[in-house]
Amino acid sequence: MPVRFELHGIALSGPTYKVGLMLSLAGEPFDYEHVDMMQGAHRQPAYLSKQRYGQVPLLIDRNNGRHLCESAAILEYLSDILGRFGGATLDERLQAREWLYWDFDRLASNVYRARTIKLGIRSAPAEVYEAHVAGGDAALKVLDRHLAGRAWIVGEGATIADIDIYGVVTYAGEAGLDLADFPNVMTWMTRVEALPGFASTKTLLPMESRVAA
Ligand SMILES: N[C@@H](CCC(=O)N[C@@H](CS)C(=O)NCC(=O)O)C(=O)O
């Protein structure tokens, strides 16, 4: 019997990793579809009919035929339907959501863009790269201060805020940011990595399509 979830993405994609990590931590195996973006597969009508923004990730829930896009919205959906990582109370859910929006505004926008420039996926003037590194650095300072004396970003256990933000911070080195400057973030990362079901980017996202084991 096929598994419930089908994740479409590319191996280098942070937003795809966030969704794969959530599924893995929730103990949900998934079929993985590599989207051949080099050949423009994400711009073809068949793909656009499932992912209106022409991006990865795309998650298909085979139980109900839903096609889901935007990684943060997908994390919220998964936490709702699986009853995992949503926070223990309404206030925790609200705070987790605040961190997701903050991430996309301040952290992911800078770390992911600095990374694509540093890896040579996108070219940009040096001052653009430096501005993203400075923005990422400023956001990591906020996160590091918040994590002082706390195990998790919200409440007493891991939530989608931790999953979402881990899925950015894990690429900080590739973006040219030095995590040694953020000791609370580094300690928190080891906590996330110790969660049952944790898997690294390379383990979770192969270069080719893969059917769930
Ligand atoms: N906000 C989106 C961002 C997704 C995104 O930036 N995906 C990139 C790959 S990492 C993509 O598909 N880029 C191709 C394009 O935008 O044309 C999310 O979190 O899902």
Side-chain angles (χ1 to χ4, degrees), residues 10 12-16 18-19 35 37 42-43 47 51 53-58 69-74 104 108 112 115-116 164:
I10 54 168
L12 284 175
S13 163
T16 305
K18 292 178 183 193
V19 176
V35 179
M37 295 179 98
H42 57 306
R43 296 201 198 93
Y47 188 78
Q51 217 288 11
Y53 307 119
Q55 291 189 313
V56 294
L58 156 70
C69 43
E70 284 297 331
S71 60
I74 298 173
F104 278 82
Y112 285 165
R115 175 177 175 250
T116 54
D164 179 75

